[in-house]
Amino acid sequence: MTDAVRADGLVKTFGRTRALDGLDLRVASGEVHGFLGPNGAGKSTTVRVLLGLMRADAGTAALLGGDPWRDATALHRRLAYVPGDVTLWPNLSGGEVIDLLGRLRGGLDDRRRADLLDRFELDPKKRGRAYSKGNRQKVALVAAFASDAELLILDEPTSGLDPLMEEAFQECVREERRAGRTVLLSSHLLSEVEALCDRVTIIRKGRTVETGTLTELRHLTRTSIRAELAGPPDGVPLPGAHDVRIEGDTISFEVETAQLDAALRQLTEIGVRSLTSRPPTLEELFLRHYEDDHGGRALQEGGVA
Amino acid sequence: MTATTLQPRTRAVRAEGGLAGTGTLLKMWLRRDRVMMPSWIYVLTALVASTVYSFKNGYDSPASLESFARGIDGNPSMRALYGPVLNDHTAAGVSAWRVGTTGAALTAVMCVLLVVRHTRAEEETGRLELVGAAAVGRRAPLAAALATAVTAAATAASLAAIVMLLFGLPAAGSVAFGLSWFGAGLVFAGVAAVTAQLAETSRLANGLAFAVLAAAYLVRGVADAGSAHWVSWLSPIGWAQRVRPHAGEHWAVLLLPLLAFAVLVAAAYLLAGRRDLGAGIIAPSPGPARAAASLRGPLALAWRLQRGSLLGWSVAFLVYGLAIGGVADGVGDLVNGSDAVLDDIRKMGGQQDLADAFLATAMGLMALFTSAYAVQSVLRMRAEESGGRLEPVLAAAVGRTRWAVAGLAVTVAGTVALLGASGLAVGLVHGARSHDLGGQLPRQLGAALVQLPAVWVVAAVTALIFGLLPRAASAGWGVLAACLLLGQVGPLLKLPQAVMDVSPFTHTPKLPGGGFDVLPVAALTAVAVAVAAVALLGFRRRDIG
């Protein structure tokens, strides 16, 4: 398996801020790769370097076997890009933008274009300035998915989409994977990444902190549980639980996935009136990293090596 | 807890009649305008200072001043351009005539730009939504924008009056002069407040307001050139003259702009109440579902984005060319015997033949206007970049050089179109009136087109700043302003030639009438090409964003 994207030790500074600080990234051909990090971690900067829009101060990057800066135009024929903050030309209609971006790349599939407009429920006749944020993103997504690119670079493409459209988006990404294309999906939504990605790279402060398959990273995920019980939960043993909070009959805590079953068993012993569970967002995970930084301790036991 | 702390604040918002937060917004807007506003005020003040200086020192006797003014006043074309000379005895009167109308119009332009910038433009970008969600009254954004414009107009007017006082001109006239500008500013701040409600885009809002301003200037010009002088009362620019600064002030006329301002602001608030945030009264039409087959490259895109504005500019240039061509033939007959005028026009144009001298001056002015088009056209590239619309284009298979060359090509084509259109218009009308169509048409077209290389230099320097220091790209306007000041004020101040030579316009052959020399034209073109090449090189190497 060859690498569609390969970046080693990327450094990029803006004045005093070090946006990228030795970032490594490898995306294998044909995989959907999640690129995760909180806001300001350097995701968009990395994408811009990969697109040849910016030049890294140090480190090397290769895209589809070429140099992203030198061979930009030739490489761009083989990829499609959706920026995180889509702005459209106020006077051009959405349909015009889709056609224009497709033609600038070197072609687009008309049948697929029509199909995608339908699936994303997008009105192509509206002018750019009249679209909401979500609809602007749909315009860029239709343009990208209607192309026959080998590599899709999607920079937080779903931040303005409602859940129905998020579903349509995920379906499109799965189709791309089935068609053998490579997708680099930058996101800060862990659930989206979990649903779509084969492998994941997590960055923080311009550095790669984790990379691997989701199973390998499973130790990072904990589930938040909030339960209203039939009686007071005092003294219940909860293996693998963190941040336990008790208010009367209500208990909330976070539990490592491997211990979820055992913890739920303990709760049902008392009797469960209502239960909500939620996987933690990446931000929460990173917040914990930050708290640990400030507490002067090393990263969590069993966490990052 | 939270509810009780919030309550007094809500009450305060209601108590102020929807104007809560106006002060905060005003402070914010003044801060945002801390470069733009002083630049405008500086240009306006410099205009007054240089004019008063040149009339106080340029004419040694009241008689020479009077003969100059009489000559001008006898000429309908000059009256159309500047209005009638109401007092030809004093330098004060002639100065007020010379900058009164143009200054009032420029103050109006400034106010339009400021009001639209802080109302419709803010709405368009969605920033106003953010502001509106804060503890800001519904009427506050428009009030703050108007207050910003009024502040700017008041400052410019005060400084204009102070400059006149410093030169020792009569106090009453100086104050009236300042107020006449202020009045024009007020009216057009009001006009912009209304157009900002009508249009959904800031560009259209500006365009509508400028159309009103152009109409006002034209109505006044027609009235002053002909015999139906009362028509001038219909024009807010006419009111500025009729305050008669330094010519027996008519203070009551100042009530007109005040009244108009009140009516326009009331109308704006009425309209604002009838529309949603972000929408305009004039509803936009939907666009096509598919792009035309021709929209397929960066050149087609640049053309598509700029054709609308180029059309507007072309109409303005055509009208200007027709007007100039129409009056040029009359210039020679009317200033007979007035040496001072001859001398003054020679100073500007350097020619013997008066019609030619007049046209050469007009062509020089057209070159400056064309440069303004060129600067805004080049800056579209920066707007594309900072607006985030360049990124997806370059992320498609479009090379940077190809994209930038396409942008510059549209700029160059636009400058050729504008000067070509106005040159043709001048040649047609002037040729028809002087019964020499075959001779004048190519002659005036050539005189217009010979201005191009200097315009290209200004465009190329703007592109250079964009290529090397994108964040400072709007300094292109500063380059143009410097050229304008050098060209307009330099000869009057008798600046040394070496300083004058910095401006590319100094090197343009004075056509029609003057001698044509290939060397400066070729040299200017070469400089423009070289500077543009460096700009492209810089753009290729830098980060986008």
Side-chain angles (χ1 to χ4, degrees):
Chain A
M1 205 158 52
T2 54
D3 288 334
V5 176
R6 199 186 174 98
D8 292 300
L10 289 184
V11 174
K12 180 76 190 172
T13 52
F14 300 106
R16 285 183 171 192
T17 29
R18 221 169 156 80
L20 300 183
D21 188 16
L23 183 128
D24 302 314
L25 175 66
R26 269 189 183 42
V27 179
S29 284
E31 74 172 357
V32 177
H33 193 101
F35 190 39
L36 287 157
N39 295 327
K43 299 192 296 289
S44 293
T45 306
T46 308
V47 166
R48 289 196 176 115
V49 169
L50 291 177
L51 288 169
L53 297 168
M54 283 179 178
R55 199 160 12 188
D57 300 326
T60 56
L63 196 72
L64 300 169
D67 179 314
W69 180 270
R70 214 186 47 232
D71 312 324
T73 312
L75 292 174
H76 293 173
R77 254 181 257 286
R78 299 162 60 194
L79 64 83
Y81 164 57
V82 174
D85 189 7
V86 181
T87 50
L88 303 175
W89 295 276
N91 277 331
L92 267 61
S93 69
E96 285 183 299
V97 172
I98 292 168
D99 286 343
L100 174 72
L101 290 177
R103 289 169 190 171
L104 290 177
R105 278 197 56 261
L108 111 170
D109 182 340
D110 273 351
R111 264 185 44 208
R112 186 144 169 79
R113 178 191 188 274
D115 175 49
L116 285 162
L117 283 179
D118 207 40
R119 282 158 69 177
F120 282 109
E121 294 169 17
L122 181 70
D123 174 5
K125 287 185 180 171
K126 269 198 183 179
R127 305 263 182 196
R129 74 171 73 86
Y131 284 115
S132 64
K133 175 174 165 61
N135 280 326
R136 289 200 303 270
Q137 268 174 334
K138 288 186 201 169
V139 169
L141 284 170
V142 170
F145 286 129
S147 68
D148 55 351
E150 290 166 49
L151 169 66
L152 287 152
I153 298 182
L154 313 176
D155 189 1
E156 298 191 9
T158 59
S159 45
L161 298 188
D162 61 43
L164 265 173
M165 291 304 129
E166 168 77 40
E167 193 47 49
F169 165 77
Q170 295 196 4
E171 192 47 45
C172 285
V173 172
R174 286 188 197 103
E175 285 168 19
E176 296 296 321
R177 193 207 342 243
R178 279 197 289 276
R181 294 178 186 134
T182 312
V183 179
L184 175 61
L185 173 63
S186 139
S187 177
H188 57 251
L189 303 171
L190 197 59
S191 59
E192 179 178 274
V193 170
E194 277 191 306
L196 293 173
C197 296
D198 307 302
R199 289 192 332 125
V200 169
T201 294
I202 297 175
I203 67 167
R204 185 168 72 98
K205 290 183 179 170
R207 269 175 189 278
T208 310
V209 292
E210 291 276 344
T211 183
T213 65
L214 277 172
T215 343
E216 286 165 4
L217 298 182
R218 196 57 77 179
H219 64 271
L220 266 180
T221 61
R222 291 177 184 171
T223 305
S224 295
I225 299 283
R226 185 185 166 85
E228 200 189 319
L229 303 175
D234 306 296
V236 182
L238 286 171
H242 303 259
D243 299 336
V244 183
R245 255 172 250 132
I246 296 172
E247 280 174 47
D249 291 350
T250 305
I251 183 168
S252 58
F253 57 90
E254 290 177 6
V255 63
E256 281 156 22
T257 308
Q259 311 280 357
L260 182 61
D261 186 50
L264 288 179
R265 254 181 243 283
Q266 294 293 338
L267 296 183
T268 46
E269 288 285 303
I270 305 173
V272 178
R273 291 257 167 80
S274 79
L275 178 89
T276 49
S277 82
R278 174 175 67 84
T281 63
L282 196 71
E283 252 104 342
E284 283 171 313
L285 286 169
F286 274 104
L287 274 178
R288 207 147 52 213
H289 280 276
Y290 279 112
E291 281 162 12
D292 290 342
D293 287 353
H294 288 298
R297 282 186 284 139
L299 294 176
Q300 275 137 326
E301 335 68 73
V304 182
Chain B
M1 272 297 277
T2 331
T4 45
T5 44
L6 274 176
Q7 227 166 15
R9 184 116 190 116
T10 323
R11 213 175 287 143
V13 171
R14 286 213 194 99
E16 288 168 52
L19 287 172
T22 306
T24 317
L25 285 179
L26 175 62
K27 260 184 254 164
M28 207 157 92
W29 296 162
L30 290 176
R31 198 181 134 67
R32 270 196 71 199
D33 293 335
R34 65 189 183 279
V35 177
M36 176 191 172
M37 204 192 279
S39 315
W40 267 98
I41 292 169
Y42 173 75
V43 169
L44 284 164
T45 316
L47 204 62
V48 176
S50 63
T51 308
V52 176
Y53 176 84
S54 70
F55 280 116
K56 270 192 82 108
N57 298 299
Y59 295 88
D60 33 20
S61 69
S64 69
L65 194 66
E66 207 174 315
S67 85
F68 163 77
R70 287 255 170 83
I72 294 284
D73 211 32
N75 180 351
S77 57
M78 292 308 258
R79 285 206 308 272
L81 213 57
Y82 296 115
V85 187
L86 299 170
N87 172 4
D88 52 17
H89 305 304
T90 63
V94 179
S95 300
W97 158 78
R98 181 66 176 76
V99 281
T101 316
T102 22
L106 284 174
T107 310
V109 171
M110 172 180 76
C111 286
V112 167
L113 289 176
L114 283 172
V115 169
V116 171
R117 170 177 159 92
H118 295 310
T119 52
R120 181 49 68 181
E122 287 289 314
E123 258 182 74
E124 213 178 354
T125 51
R127 281 194 293 261
L128 200 59
E129 210 168 340
L130 210 65
V131 170
V136 163
R138 221 151 36 84
R139 291 160 185 267
L142 182 54
L146 286 167
T148 309
V150 170
T151 307
T155 312
S158 310
L159 285 174
I162 289 169
V163 163
M164 286 192 156
L165 289 170
L166 288 178
F167 273 106
L169 306 194
S174 305
V175 171
F177 182 83
L179 287 173
S180 74
W181 278 14
F182 181 63
L186 274 188
V187 174
F188 282 93
V191 168
V194 171
T195 62
Q197 312 308 319
L198 294 177
E200 206 183 62
T201 66
S202 56
R203 200 172 298 168
L204 183 59
N206 276 324
L208 289 174
F210 288 143
V212 175
L213 176 58
Y217 204 90
L218 208 68
V219 164
R220 183 213 54 76
V222 169
D224 287 338
S227 52
H229 295 307
W230 64 269
V231 175
S232 173
W233 284 105
L234 298 175
S235 159
I237 300 295
W239 300 342
Q241 283 170 12
R242 277 153 197 272
V243 175
R244 299 183 67 95
H246 295 299
E249 292 75 20
H250 283 181
W251 300 97
V253 176
L254 289 166
L255 290 173
L256 282 172
L258 277 178
L259 195 70
F261 180 67
V263 169
L264 287 165
V265 170
Y269 272 117
L270 205 70
L271 290 172
R274 290 162 166 265
R275 64 178 188 87
D276 294 329
L277 188 70
I281 298 282
I282 305 170
S285 58
R290 299 296 311 246
S294 55
L295 185 61
R296 54 183 325 111
L299 186 63
L301 175 63
W303 169 246
R304 171 69 196 269
L305 296 177
Q306 297 197 38
R307 65 182 185 192
S309 98
L310 180 60
L311 184 70
W313 281 84
S314 303
V315 170
F317 267 67
L318 213 58
V319 171
Y320 181 73
L322 292 173
I324 293 296
V327 297
D329 199 38
V331 174
D333 315 333
L334 287 156
V335 285
N336 272 343
S338 168
D339 289 344
V341 186
L342 282 172
D343 196 49
D344 202 57
I345 292 180
R346 271 197 212 108
K347 234 185 257 171
M348 296 190 244
Q351 309 313 320
Q352 299 288 335
D353 181 25
L354 268 178
D356 276 354
F358 173 75
L359 285 173
T361 308
M363 296 286 181
L365 220 54
M366 276 194 288
L368 286 170
F369 290 143
T370 311
S371 305
Y373 162 80
V375 169
Q376 67 88 30
S377 173
V378 171
L379 289 181
R380 283 290 190 95
M381 292 203 280
R382 174 59 189 160
E384 286 290 285
E385 182 184 7
S386 57
R389 295 180 296 266
L390 171 57
E391 213 172 88
V393 171
L394 291 185
V398 174
R400 293 183 181 206
T401 312
R402 190 170 154 228
W403 178 81
V405 166
L408 291 177
V410 169
T411 303
V412 168
T415 59
V416 175
L418 291 182
L419 280 170
S422 53
L424 275 177
V426 170
L428 271 175
V429 180
H430 182 54
R433 294 205 50 179
S434 58
H435 309 292
D436 181 22
L437 196 57
Q440 289 296 348
L441 194 60
R443 195 159 168 268
Q444 302 304 337
L445 182 60
L449 293 180
V450 83
Q451 312 287 335
L452 281 171
V455 174
W456 292 339
V457 171
V458 175
V461 172
T462 308
L464 182 70
I465 306 171
F466 166 70
L468 300 179
L469 296 165
R471 272 163 226 279
S474 50
W477 288 116
V479 173
L480 177 59
C483 292
L484 177 90
L485 272 180
L486 271 181
Q488 300 293 301
V489 183
L492 297 170
L493 298 182
K494 302 192 172 63
L495 289 179
Q497 192 59 36
V499 177
M500 298 294 296
D501 281 347
V502 173
S503 165
F505 300 99
T506 309
H507 307 282
T508 301
K510 301 280 177 287
L511 291 179
F516 174 74
D517 194 356
V518 180
L519 184 65
V521 175
L524 284 172
T525 310
V527 168
V529 170
V531 172
V534 179
L536 288 176
L537 236 64
F539 179 64
R540 278 176 66 93
R541 303 173 71 86
R542 71 172 172 83
D543 290 345
I544 300 296

